[in-house]
Amino acid sequence: MALAIKRPSATALMLALTFSTGVIDAVGYLGLDKVFTGNMTGNVVILAMALTGADGLPIAGPLLALAGFGVGAAAGGRLLRGADAGWNPPTTRVFVGVAGLLTALAALLALPGGDVLRLAITTLLGVAMGAQAAAARHIGVKDVTTVVVTSTVTALFADSRLGNGSGSH
């Protein structure tokens, strides 16, 4: 008798992605000079405080994470253009690509390096998380959302002409 393996629900998989994004943000905040790479609201807050004169807060890292996130969300939007909504082979390919990039970046984190390496990793983590956010948005599991600024940044880039969208949103 064959053992039947039940496929996890899209909601369970989305919650796992939410957890992983939190872990990646913790790594970014603690190890990459107070930068969030998955949730852009944190970067907007840090940038606002840094630009208004708060001491010790970075500007370059959050800006690069935002830019990387935008590039990743646009790429995700382009890759998923025309794909049926929900979890399907194109969304799986995006998530596999994100996993590959995260694995490569984890290896880079083990290398000795200064600010340039740290900022490159920050930017590429932003790209990965932007692509993941675009794919998660494409799946559209009800009530599994992210914060407003992150959703807005994802929609802006994923639906933009750069993301191969119509730009109507």
Side-chain angles (χ1 to χ4, degrees):
M1 177 196 267
L3 179 64
I5 299 175
K6 184 177 178 186
R7 184 176 165 194
S9 72
T11 301
L13 292 170
M14 293 295 289
L15 291 174
L17 287 173
T18 301
F19 175 78
S20 70
T21 300
V23 170
I24 290 166
D25 269 344
V27 168
Y29 191 82
L30 297 172
L32 297 172
D33 193 27
K34 298 182 179 116
V35 176
F36 296 100
T37 57
N39 292 301
M40 295 298 106
T41 303
N43 287 328
V44 171
V45 171
I46 289 171
L47 280 170
M49 291 188 305
L51 292 172
T52 58
D55 291 335
L57 291 176
I59 294 175
L63 278 175
L64 288 171
L66 277 163
F69 191 94
V71 167
R78 183 170 286 276
L79 290 169
L80 296 169
R81 172 90 180 188
D84 291 336
W87 203 303
N88 52 42
T91 55
T92 298
R93 284 192 289 275
V94 171
F95 289 134
V96 168
V98 167
L101 181 54
L102 292 177
T103 301
L105 292 173
L108 283 177
L109 279 172
L111 298 175
D115 288 342
V116 172
L117 179 62
R118 180 181 51 77
L119 290 172
I121 290 171
T122 297
T123 305
L124 292 172
L125 278 173
V127 169
M129 294 294 94
Q132 177 176 298
R137 184 174 180 272
H138 183 80
I139 291 169
V141 174
K142 187 177 189 245
D143 296 331
V144 179
T145 60
T146 184
V147 292
V148 174
V149 172
T150 301
S151 294
T152 302
V153 171
T154 301
L156 176 69
F157 286 96
D159 293 339
S160 70
R161 295 206 187 279
L162 182 63
N164 205 26
S166 66
S168 63
H169 298 288

